[in-house]
Amino acid sequence: WPTDALKSVASQFLRDVEFESDEGRAAVEDMCMMFQQDVRGMAERFYQELQRHYYTTPTSYLELISTYKTLLASKRREETEAANEKKAVVEQEEAVANEAAAAAKAIKDDCESELAVAMPMLESALAALDTLTKSDITEVKAMKNPPAAVKTVMEGVCHMLNVKPKRINDPKDPTKKINDYWGPSQGLLGDPNFLLGLQKYDKDNIDPAIVTKIRPYMDDPNFQPETVKKASKAAYGLCCWVRAMEAYDRVAKARKRAPLPLNRYA
């Protein structure tokens, strides 16, 4: 076939193949034509050097075009599959990221909700400490037989300040020893810097062991503010302070212990 015929045949058999541009289509048609012409020239050299014939026929030209179409379709299919796999991975990662973002938002919302409760509690507790006077503290210290609510509150304060109990004989069974916090509590109450120490308490770094000891008190009937208030004004203020520290610590941990925005006594 002459050059024009080769070009025409290539154009005819490649018309069902999609190309990005007319220039690309023309380049492929020229490539097929060139391959056929080059093979024809090499066939002549083959005969001259080895005296053996190699025939370039219309059929071989059509097979060349058919082979190109098959290889092109296979390559495009591979690229499409690779692209689809990559898309699936991206979509999966995006789904995981969206799920993580939603979970993070839920945690943030929960933290903000708890923070909205904890911060007023903390402010109120610190304000309650401000109202306590030396005589209020002395009144509690002087109690010979303090109400259960007062003793319970002072136990909580001792835990918060890491004050150890005193081992005494159990009134119900002299053969046994029990922990007594009232004696150590009186020592705390006698410290002239007691209230200042509570006001400057390092709320952002409370020992987890302390929190573990304090948490059960939150449900103790003798540790409820309204109950304590009936027994002692000073104990009420101290009870509110302990409860506020526990609430603050709980929210801070939920926020990965990021310090909350309160530096009143910093």
Side-chain angles (χ1 to χ4, degrees):
W1 286 344
T3 300
D4 291 345
L6 293 174
K7 176 79 170 177
S8 177
V9 169
S11 177
Q12 176 72 14
F13 281 86
L14 291 172
R15 69 178 182 274
D16 59 340
V17 179
E18 293 185 3
F19 291 94
E20 293 183 357
S21 65
D22 291 339
E23 291 78 6
R25 178 182 295 277
V28 172
E29 293 171 356
D30 290 342
M31 176 191 69
C32 292
M33 179 183 66
M34 181 188 68
F35 281 176
Q36 183 71 0
Q37 291 173 329
D38 287 351
V39 170
R40 185 183 301 163
M42 294 180 69
E44 292 175 359
R45 283 185 55 194
F46 187 69
Y47 177 75
Q48 291 172 2
E49 294 179 5
L50 300 176
Q51 298 299 307
R52 295 179 63 181
H53 288 286
Y54 179 83
Y55 299 99
T56 55
T57 64
T59 300
S60 64
Y61 184 52
L62 295 178
E63 288 177 349
L64 167 66
I65 296 174
S66 177
T67 300
Y68 169 77
K69 291 173 66 175
T70 300
L71 292 175
L72 179 63
S74 176
K75 185 63 176 179
R76 286 179 172 177
R77 185 166 54 252
E78 289 177 3
E79 291 177 351
T80 299
E81 291 174 355
N84 288 339
E85 289 178 2
K86 185 175 182 180
K87 180 182 178 182
V89 171
V90 171
E91 289 178 346
Q92 183 178 9
E93 291 178 349
E94 183 178 0
V96 172
N98 289 339
E99 184 178 350
K105 184 179 185 301
I107 293 174
K108 178 179 180 295
D109 291 344
D110 287 344
C111 287
E112 294 302 328
S113 177
E114 291 192 26
L115 181 61
V117 175
M119 294 311 296
M121 284 180 61
L122 187 53
E123 290 284 7
S124 177
L126 294 176
L129 292 182
D130 287 341
T131 66
L132 298 183
T133 64
K134 184 177 180 180
S135 61
D136 292 328
I137 299 300
T138 300
E139 178 184 336
V140 176
K141 178 177 180 294
M143 291 180 177
K144 299 298 183 182
N145 187 23
V150 173
K151 292 183 70 175
T152 302
V153 168
M154 290 311 302
E155 281 184 23
V157 173
C158 284
H159 286 311
M160 290 297 298
L161 300 179
N162 209 23
V163 173
K164 304 300 181 184
K166 181 180 179 181
R167 299 290 290 173
I168 63 172
N169 292 329
D170 185 348
K172 298 178 181 179
D173 186 352
T175 63
K176 296 181 179 179
K177 294 283 187 177
I178 61 173
N179 289 333
D180 175 62
Y181 284 93
W182 183 242
S185 295
Q186 289 178 307
L188 277 179
L189 295 169
D191 183 350
N193 294 317
F194 172 61
L195 290 178
L196 182 62
L198 300 186
Q199 292 168 344
K200 290 184 172 294
Y201 193 83
D202 187 3
K203 59 191 177 299
D204 294 314
N205 296 288
I206 302 177
D207 188 334
I210 290 177
V211 177
T212 299
K213 293 177 182 178
I214 282 296
R215 196 142 285 160
Y217 285 81
M218 300 302 109
D219 297 322
D220 191 320
N222 287 319
F223 204 76
Q224 305 310 306
E226 293 307 312
T227 300
V228 177
K229 192 174 186 178
K230 296 175 183 178
S232 165
K233 172 187 174 182
Y236 168 75
L238 297 175
C239 175
C240 290
W241 176 81
V242 174
R243 297 183 73 91
M245 290 296 111
E246 187 277 335
Y248 180 95
D249 180 81
R250 181 166 16 95
V251 175
K253 283 181 178 176
R255 296 179 57 165
K256 297 186 183 301
R257 302 203 65 81
L260 300 180
L262 182 71
N263 294 302
R264 179 178 171 188
Y265 292 99

